[in-house]
Amino acid sequence: MPEKTDLIREEISDKLKKAGYKLTPQREITVATLIENQATLLTAEEIFMAVKSKNPSIGLATVYRTLDLLDELSIVNKKQFHDGLTRYDVFISSNKIQPYYLVCSNCGKMQEIKGDMFSDVSSYIQTKHQFVVKVQDVTFHGVCDSCQNSERV
Ligand SMILES: [Zn+2]
């Protein structure tokens, strides 16, 4: 889906510009890496490895600074999981559908799922409690398919 990716890239570039930042090559590579890996939640270390494979001259500190900046501008969503690691997720309005997360309590594998099954929940909350939902943070804990297969209980 190249069109959607371009939209996301553009929106991120806009947000940076409005906040007075340029989309430098280092930032651009970091942003591109996040967009490419939207379906998986990467740690800063994993993002750094992917960025480094594209441009070996970019250091870990630069990637950390970029991630901090993106977090500050609400371009990424920092998620802390029970394994103690922080993972980053691109979170912008072009992604109209908010993700939800599946976490395997056996192997720790995390999946980000896109689906609009919660739009009904949001409107229910708004009607019932006069509360406008801006961000949903939904995480399901359970057992992933490969763990189910290997356990066969
Ligand atoms: Zn598992």
Side-chain angles (χ1 to χ4, degrees):
M1 296 176 288
E3 283 173 12
K4 199 181 170 214
T5 305
D6 285 349
L7 258 171
I8 297 171
R9 228 191 61 95
E10 223 166 86
E11 185 176 339
I12 293 175
S13 165
D14 270 6
K15 273 197 179 179
L16 282 167
K17 254 186 240 161
K18 271 179 202 148
Y21 297 97
K22 278 191 192 138
L23 190 60
T24 60
Q26 293 94 321
R27 284 174 189 151
E28 187 158 12
I29 291 177
T30 308
V31 165
T33 303
L34 286 164
I35 296 173
E36 280 161 27
N37 295 286
Q38 269 188 91
T40 36
L41 295 163
L42 300 181
T43 62
E45 193 80 8
E46 287 164 341
I47 294 164
F48 169 62
M49 295 312 284
V51 166
K52 211 181 159 191
S53 71
K54 288 177 190 158
N55 184 341
S57 70
I58 298 177
L60 181 61
T62 305
V63 172
Y64 269 115
R65 272 201 306 273
T66 304
L67 290 172
D68 278 345
L69 174 66
L70 297 176
D71 177 47
E72 214 173 283
L73 300 176
S74 303
I75 292 169
V76 294
N77 196 5
K78 253 189 192 180
K79 275 189 76 81
Q80 186 98 43
F81 284 94
H82 67 305
D83 59 5
L85 290 171
T86 302
R87 289 174 168 78
Y88 295 84
D89 190 18
V90 178
F91 180 75
I92 48 161
S93 61
S94 303
N95 279 334
K96 285 261 158 51
I97 299 168
Q98 291 197 12
Y100 55 100
Y101 305 92
L102 307 179
V103 180
C104 177
S105 37
N106 189 42
C107 68
K109 188 174 102 179
M110 273 155 236
Q111 283 174 273
E112 182 189 325
I113 310 290
K114 291 256 159 64
D116 60 359
M117 62 193 246
F118 291 108
S119 55
D120 286 350
V121 178
S122 299
S123 32
Y124 173 83
I125 292 170
Q126 189 167 350
T127 320
K128 207 78 176 161
H129 304 284
Q130 292 77 50
F131 184 88
V132 180
V133 177
K134 298 265 192 199
V135 177
Q136 328 169 130
D137 190 352
V138 184
T139 306
F140 292 97
H141 298 270
V143 183
C144 75
D145 56 350
S146 49
C147 286
Q148 287 173 52
N149 288 332
S150 59
E151 278 168 9
R152 290 226 177 275
V153 266

